[in-house]
Amino acid sequence: MPDHPWLTENDLGLLTKLGGWRKDRRSGEQGLTLAGLLMFGKTEAIQDPEALPGFQVDYRERLAEDDETRWSDRIHIDGTWVANLFQFYQRVAQKLGYDPALKVPFRPDRRAQSDAHEALKEALVNALIHADHTGQGGIIGERFKDRFEFSNPGTLLLSQEQLMTGGVSECRNKSLQLMFQLLGVGDKAGSGLDKIRRSWHAHLWQPPSLKETLRPDRVILTLPLISVMPEDVMARLQQRFGQAFEALSPDEAQTLVIAAQEQQVTNRRLQEMLTLHRVDITQMLSGLVEKGMLIPHGRRRGAYYTLPAELKSPTNLKVEDSSPHKCVSSPHKDTSSPHKDTGSPHSEERSPHRDTAEDVQAWSEL
């Protein structure tokens, strides 16, 4: 932030306001805080036995065509640079900015960044500020051919549901969070992961996933680079539904793609894949049912939806004999016979595939 008022401070004053330098009220001693050491300290000072001897930062690119090559590029503590969090962030952010998987928009101010770049930086900073830096394994970022992964030691301070929803902020290292915020990354509003999910959804990539492992405690954020709209599936749906499919919104189209790939789709599954609220998903599913593009099954929590059965082509349809010699009201066929099966498919009893929109609304509530 080039116009921030703290920039009028000298180095020590700025470091104090950032939480990187502090005076002990009891002893009167002054010195670097752990956050200040991690952010701006020298590698040997950070890894001192009295500080954080297990400190590690590592970013690996695994893009080599040869499977035996462990990585095609790597940023790690090798003695050629000052390995603190600030320097690590700067170096990795530069790598992310030139990643071949991310399309760079044209901007007159030459800022070659997109929302996907910003999401990746957010993921990197999340690993840095939420890590338990006394834990095992260090900070690891990895770029595979089909995904990014960022992992850090520690456990989640909020449930995955709260993290996915956003709006609640809880950080293990608040001084580090403030420092990165002043760099323009590291959202304090509790919307960091939600911002990442929205960016990935806008690019039609599979949604990010968050996993927690114990002993050793680690949190792993995976960002797939796999499209949720495969071209072959899209082509089949376009052939099947024609212009009606082309007129759908991106969320509606993705819903049909999921139904085609997984044989069914549910409200809960769509909450994982889309960025819509549960109620909006309910309304969307009702609309797709009314359009004849989905068939509802089950009720309430057990509700699920499938694509309608394949329609027969006109050449395969059986043509009824319209000959004048055929008597459709033959006296031998008593349509009011007492032996008529009331459970016949021709019965007026409602078919399970003829449910009203109101039924669908109730079925898909979770």
Side-chain angles (χ1 to χ4, degrees):
M1 297 184 180
D3 57 347
H4 198 282
W6 288 0
L7 294 179
T8 60
E9 299 279 348
N10 60 26
D11 290 347
L12 187 58
L14 177 60
L15 194 59
T16 301
K17 287 186 176 296
L18 290 173
W21 186 273
R22 189 168 297 159
K23 178 179 180 179
D24 190 302
R25 293 178 181 273
R26 293 183 180 179
S27 66
E29 294 183 358
Q30 300 183 50
L32 274 175
T33 63
L34 188 59
L37 181 65
L38 282 165
M39 193 70 167
F40 303 115
K42 294 184 177 181
T43 311
E44 56 270 23
I46 299 174
Q47 293 182 325
D48 187 278
E50 297 298 322
L52 297 168
F55 175 77
Q56 284 290 333
V57 287
D58 200 347
Y59 181 77
R60 311 160 184 165
E61 287 188 346
R62 301 177 181 271
L63 302 176
E65 295 298 330
D66 182 5
D67 293 336
E68 295 183 0
T69 303
R70 295 184 64 185
W71 45 72
S72 52
D73 200 1
R74 189 181 185 192
I75 300 172
H76 64 116
I77 302 176
D78 59 0
T80 63
W81 58 289
V82 179
N84 54 42
L85 296 187
F86 178 74
Q87 291 290 340
F88 181 68
Y89 168 77
Q90 294 280 60
R91 288 169 179 264
V92 176
Q94 186 176 23
K95 294 288 292 182
L96 298 175
Y98 292 98
D99 191 278
L102 308 181
K103 295 181 180 179
V104 178
F106 171 77
R107 293 185 180 180
D109 59 2
R110 299 181 182 274
R111 291 177 56 200
Q113 295 293 316
S114 68
D115 57 339
H117 290 93
E118 298 301 322
L120 284 169
K121 290 180 181 179
E122 192 78 28
L124 171 61
V125 170
N126 279 348
L128 299 177
I129 67 177
H130 292 295
D132 176 2
H133 290 282
T134 64
Q136 303 177 31
I139 310 293
I140 298 177
E142 293 187 282
R143 167 65 158 98
F144 297 89
K145 294 178 181 178
D146 62 347
R147 69 190 186 278
F148 288 92
E149 283 188 5
F150 297 93
S151 67
N152 59 268
T155 57
L156 295 174
L157 299 181
L158 297 171
S159 69
Q160 291 201 25
E161 288 75 16
Q162 289 174 307
L163 289 169
M164 290 297 183
T165 303
V168 181
S169 177
E170 187 63 41
C171 182
R172 183 173 275 109
N173 303 294
K174 291 181 172 58
S175 293
L176 288 177
Q177 183 181 44
L178 174 60
M179 294 174 191
F180 278 109
Q181 279 178 337
L182 294 176
L183 288 174
V185 288
D187 202 316
K188 191 178 180 180
S191 59
L193 190 56
D194 186 50
K195 181 191 300 182
I196 296 170
R197 291 181 68 240
R198 289 183 180 278
S199 173
W200 243 239
H201 176 65
H203 284 77
L204 299 178
W205 287 322
Q206 291 182 4
S209 64
L210 194 63
K211 183 174 68 174
E212 185 177 21
T213 63
L214 303 176
R215 298 182 181 178
D217 299 342
R218 291 192 71 79
V219 176
I220 305 168
L221 176 63
T222 302
L223 304 169
L225 294 172
I226 302 172
S227 174
V228 295
M229 308 290 265
E231 293 183 3
D232 58 333
V233 178
M234 293 279 288
R236 291 201 302 269
L237 290 170
Q238 287 172 342
Q239 182 179 12
R240 185 170 184 179
F241 295 112
Q243 293 184 346
F245 180 77
E246 297 177 3
L248 295 178
S249 70
D251 289 322
E252 290 175 320
Q254 188 173 343
T255 297
L256 295 188
V257 169
I258 296 171
Q261 290 181 306
E262 302 180 8
Q263 307 305 314
Q264 66 175 45
V265 67
T266 65
N267 192 305
R268 182 173 294 278
R269 177 60 171 150
L270 291 177
Q271 290 177 50
E272 298 172 356
M273 299 293 290
L274 308 180
T275 58
L276 298 177
H277 188 273
R278 172 178 56 82
V279 175
D280 296 323
I281 292 175
T282 296
Q283 295 175 349
M284 180 183 67
L285 289 168
S286 298
L288 290 172
V289 170
E290 291 176 356
K291 294 173 183 177
M293 293 179 160
L294 284 179
I295 301 297
H297 309 272
R299 291 181 178 275
R300 297 191 179 277
R301 292 186 180 276
Y304 65 96
Y305 303 81
T306 61
L307 295 175
E310 292 281 1
L311 298 177
K312 296 180 180 179
S313 62
T315 57
N316 292 331
L317 292 177
K318 181 179 179 181
V319 180
E320 294 294 333
D321 185 0
S322 57
S323 168
H325 300 292
K326 179 179 179 181
C327 182
V328 295
S329 57
S330 169
H332 301 292
K333 182 178 181 181
D334 185 1
T335 58
S336 60
S337 169
H339 300 294
K340 179 182 179 182
D341 183 2
T342 58
S344 165
H346 303 290
S347 167
E348 290 300 319
E349 183 177 343
R350 180 188 291 176
S351 165
H353 298 330
R354 295 178 59 192
D355 298 276
T356 65
E358 290 79 7
D359 286 337
V360 176
Q361 177 97 6
W363 290 5
S364 58
E365 291 178 357
L366 294 175

